[in-house]
């Protein structure tokens, strides 16, 4: 079984920073794209940022220039550094990864979510 475990959420004032981490564990042959999504109350889940296994990145317009996604392939971990946080960044943040447990089997996995709250 494969698990994604997130950490690093919390309450921060506007303008502050947080760093989220997501570690994959279990039967892992390889990890392809990794991403962070978020879901605010009453809204649909949206893509925040993703990173390929070669390190290419892409960001939602709303976070570009403020958030940075990175990964440590040796540790099977993806990070999201969030700077200049705004109240509208308040949401539950979810880690997502395309993980192959064998050479022939790749599945999409989600973490349990971590709450980020930004006060004004």
């Amino acid at each position: 079984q494969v698990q994604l475990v997130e950490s690093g959420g919390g309450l921060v004032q506007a303008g502050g920073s947080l760093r989220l981490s997501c570690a994959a564990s279990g039967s892992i042959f390889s990890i392809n794209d990794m991403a962070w999504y978020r879901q605010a109350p009453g809204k649909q889940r949206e893509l925040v940022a993703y990173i390929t296994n070669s390190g290419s990145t892409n960001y939602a317009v709303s976070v570009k220039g403020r958030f940075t996604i990175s990964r440590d392939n040796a540790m099977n971990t993806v990070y999201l550094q969030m700077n200049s946080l705004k109240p509208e960044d308040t949401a539950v943040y979810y880690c997502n990864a395309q993980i192959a447990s064998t050479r022939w089997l790749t599945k999409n996995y989600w973490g349990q979510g971590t709450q980020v709250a930004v006060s004004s």
Side-chain angles (χ1 to χ4, degrees):
Q1 290 292 340
V2 173
Q3 281 190 319
L4 296 177
V5 178
E6 298 128 335
S7 60
L11 174 63
V12 65
Q13 288 189 331
S17 298
L18 283 174
R19 188 192 195 209
L20 306 183
S21 300
C22 172
S25 63
S27 180
I28 298 172
F29 176 76
S30 65
I31 302 178
N32 299 324
D33 293 357
M34 304 185 82
W36 289 95
Y37 287 74
R38 68 185 181 187
Q39 187 166 19
K43 295 189 176 181
Q44 289 189 331
R45 191 172 297 189
E46 64 174 356
L47 177 65
V48 175
Y50 75 79
I51 183 167
T52 67
N53 59 5
S54 61
S56 297
T57 59
N58 203 359
Y59 297 90
V61 172
S62 59
V63 306
K64 210 165 189 176
R66 300 188 297 121
F67 290 11
T68 302
I69 189 170
S70 61
R71 64 191 284 172
D72 183 335
N73 291 331
M75 298 296 292
N76 292 333
T77 300
V78 63
Y79 305 96
L80 186 68
Q81 177 66 45
M82 305 184 293
N83 298 329
S84 303
L85 282 161
K86 305 175 180 179
E88 51 263 43
D89 295 317
T90 295
V92 177
Y93 283 71
Y94 296 92
C95 174
N96 173 269
Q98 309 292 322
I99 298 176
S101 53
T102 71
R103 186 183 299 274
W104 305 277
L105 180 61
T106 299
K107 290 184 179 180
N108 186 45
Y109 292 90
W110 291 92
Q112 80 283 0
T114 185
Q115 177 72 52
V116 171
V118 184
S119 62
S120 56

